[in-house]
Amino acid sequence: MLIRDASPEDWAAIWSFMRPIVAAGETFSWDRDITEERAKAIWLDNPYGRAFAALDDDGSVMGTAEIHRNQGGPGAHVANAGFMVDPAYSGRGVGRALCEHALRQARADGYRSMQFNAVVETNVRAVKLWQSLGFDILATVPEAFHHPTLGYVGLHVMFKHL
Amino acid sequence: MLIRDASPEDWAAIWSFMRPIVAAGETFSWDRDITEERAKAIWLDNPYGRAFAALDDDGSVMGTAEIHRNQGGPGAHVANAGFMVDPAYSGRGVGRALCEHALRQARADGYRSMQFNAVVETNVRAVKLWQSLGFDILATVPEAFHHPTLGYVGLHVMFKHL
């Protein structure tokens, strides 16, 4: 698996799995009908962020990640990150590899820690993955996420020093 | 004291105290040299938010607040809010009145809770005020704020059901 900076040429592939993941409304706190333009602005074109793509041996985009500052000014030394893996490539360690890459890059970029603001508590596989990579659950914001089938569930705030 | 929706005509007065508050870098996770254009976009013109102004008897703007959704889509039922009071009017209960107003309006707008993501732990007066209004500290993100004189201090995540 190759992980490198995402390029505008990767966007079509990224959007092909990002759109259904967001539309499902189970893991991301984005508008489920977010426009492609808005999603691209958040993911690829954040002036304070950078995005990555994980590629299969044949060059197919299997997943993507992005890191950006979690706050501005006096809070800009804490990174935030997002991850999406094409379900067609699930179970291959793509999410783990992307997170390890994001942590390395965040360190290299001078961030002192990484914080996730909104990890859906029912997204158990992701929670376990982040924990296995050293993230702690600092708090769970009660009923902060409206899951399409499970109703109101909590959002974990997760954190790791770099 | 009158609290009402902020109007574009209030902006000059708001910016007159917002700018030094943000430049001081002690309480807000914004770039300390944020442009007026960007600050106005965040505070007054958030398409998912609304802003208020607290007026003295002579119509002077003593403080301001804004509420907006803390996340999109499945997280859009949780409000976030920001507050700034002109130091010239400190000690008059302006912050408390603005927060009470923001809580009432958030309830009326259908939000189910209010979350603050980044309350600087050394901003003790604000922390005590939010606690007196029913907010709990869910977590303190360690060293997430670089205070100009105190160094790295924590950011409280605070929460209240509506």
Side-chain angles (χ1 to χ4, degrees):
Chain A
M1 177 182 343
L2 169 71
I3 299 183
R4 56 156 173 74
D5 287 354
S7 75
E9 291 69 42
D10 298 322
W11 176 252
I14 291 171
W15 180 242
S16 73
F17 56 82
M18 177 180 282
R19 184 180 189 167
I21 288 171
V22 174
E26 296 177 352
T27 54
F28 263 75
S29 292
W30 288 9
D31 289 336
R32 294 171 66 175
D33 60 351
I34 192 170
T35 64
E36 180 172 359
E37 181 188 12
R38 176 80 186 126
K40 183 166 180 285
I42 294 172
W43 203 266
L44 274 196
D45 300 328
N46 183 332
Y48 299 102
R50 54 196 304 165
F52 314 108
L55 307 182
D56 199 358
D57 291 341
D58 69 0
S60 302
V61 178
M62 299 190 290
T64 182
E66 57 84 31
I67 60 176
H68 62 276
R69 61 188 203 171
N70 194 46
Q71 301 281 351
H77 58 283
V78 181
N80 186 291
F83 303 89
M84 293 203 199
V85 175
D86 186 338
Y89 296 97
S90 133
R92 293 207 201 180
V94 178
R96 173 177 296 273
L98 279 166
C99 189
E100 287 169 345
H101 187 88
L103 288 166
R104 270 194 305 273
Q105 189 64 58
R107 261 182 225 112
D109 289 346
Y111 288 109
R112 299 180 84 243
S113 54
M114 187 176 284
Q115 178 177 346
F116 302 150
N117 300 312
V119 182
V120 182
E121 66 178 344
T122 51
N123 190 5
V124 176
R125 206 161 65 165
V127 174
K128 278 188 204 285
L129 176 55
W130 309 148
Q131 286 176 317
S132 79
L133 289 165
F135 285 85
D136 292 319
I137 297 173
L138 293 188
T140 306
V141 185
E143 302 183 1
F145 188 88
H146 194 216
H147 190 284
T149 56
L150 304 170
Y152 290 102
V153 300
L155 286 176
H156 293 319
V157 177
M158 300 188 73
F159 179 85
K160 177 184 165 67
H161 286 289
L162 296 179
Chain B
M1 175 182 343
L2 169 70
I3 299 183
R4 58 155 172 74
D5 287 354
S7 74
E9 291 70 42
D10 298 322
W11 176 252
I14 291 172
W15 180 242
S16 74
F17 56 85
M18 176 180 282
R19 184 179 190 169
I21 288 171
V22 174
E26 296 178 351
T27 54
F28 263 74
S29 291
W30 288 10
D31 289 335
R32 293 172 67 177
D33 60 351
I34 192 169
T35 63
E36 181 172 358
E37 182 188 11
R38 175 81 187 125
K40 183 166 181 285
I42 294 172
W43 204 266
L44 274 196
D45 301 328
N46 183 332
Y48 299 102
R50 55 197 305 165
F52 313 109
L55 307 182
D56 198 358
D57 290 341
D58 69 0
S60 302
V61 178
M62 298 190 291
T64 182
E66 58 83 31
I67 60 176
H68 61 276
R69 60 189 205 171
N70 194 46
Q71 301 281 352
H77 57 283
V78 181
N80 186 291
F83 302 89
M84 293 202 199
V85 175
D86 185 338
Y89 296 98
S90 136
R92 294 207 202 180
V94 178
R96 172 177 297 272
L98 279 166
C99 189
E100 288 170 344
H101 186 88
L103 288 166
R104 270 194 305 272
Q105 188 64 57
R107 261 183 224 107
D109 289 346
Y111 288 110
R112 299 179 85 245
S113 53
M114 187 175 285
Q115 178 178 345
F116 302 150
N117 299 312
V119 182
V120 182
E121 65 179 343
T122 51
N123 190 5
V124 177
R125 206 162 64 167
V127 175
K128 279 187 204 283
L129 175 57
W130 309 147
Q131 287 176 317
S132 79
L133 288 165
F135 284 85
D136 291 319
I137 297 172
L138 293 188
T140 306
V141 185
E143 302 184 0
F145 188 88
H146 193 216
H147 190 284
T149 57
L150 303 170
Y152 289 103
V153 299
L155 286 176
H156 293 319
V157 177
M158 301 188 73
F159 178 85
K160 177 184 166 68
H161 286 290
L162 295 179

